Amino acid sequence: MYLEDLFVRPRLRGKGIGKALLVELARIAVREKCGRLDWQVLEWNTPAVDFYRSLGARMLAEWETFRLAGEALERLARDG
């Protein structure tokens, strides 16, 4: 299962909302027999990294994110 985005408004952080959302996703993933739950976090977002690690998640150093956008995306779509 891939989690695209998880955002808790700053004024609501620290109330267990993020953990509750991830707990429910974990339950769904287990129920649906997903082998894993993946998501991305910006490396400079230390509070998020620490939070995810506290849940038992680990950062996968061997994966890199790629993005096609703007002119490069248009060129690929146009020229194949």
Side-chain angles (χ1 to χ4, degrees):
M1 179 182 288
Y2 184 78
L3 171 62
E4 177 64 31
D5 215 354
L6 175 66
F7 181 79
V8 176
R9 294 182 188 276
R11 65 183 172 80
L12 298 174
R13 292 178 188 161
K15 299 180 183 298
I17 296 168
K19 183 175 181 181
L21 290 168
L22 285 170
V23 165
E24 185 58 25
L25 282 176
R27 288 178 179 153
I28 293 168
V30 169
R31 184 180 69 233
E32 298 299 321
K33 299 186 179 8
C34 298
R36 64 181 189 258
L37 173 59
D38 290 339
W39 65 91
Q40 294 181 308
V41 62
L42 294 167
E43 63 185 18
W44 55 259
N45 191 345
T46 308
V49 170
D50 293 343
F51 169 64
Y52 298 139
R53 284 189 171 142
S54 78
L55 299 176
R58 63 185 178 88
M59 191 175 288
L60 302 176
E62 64 271 15
W63 285 89
E64 296 289 337
T65 300
F66 282 82
R67 176 176 293 156
L68 269 174
E71 184 179 313
L73 177 62
E74 291 176 19
R75 183 174 51 250
L76 183 61
R78 180 184 65 243
D79 301 338

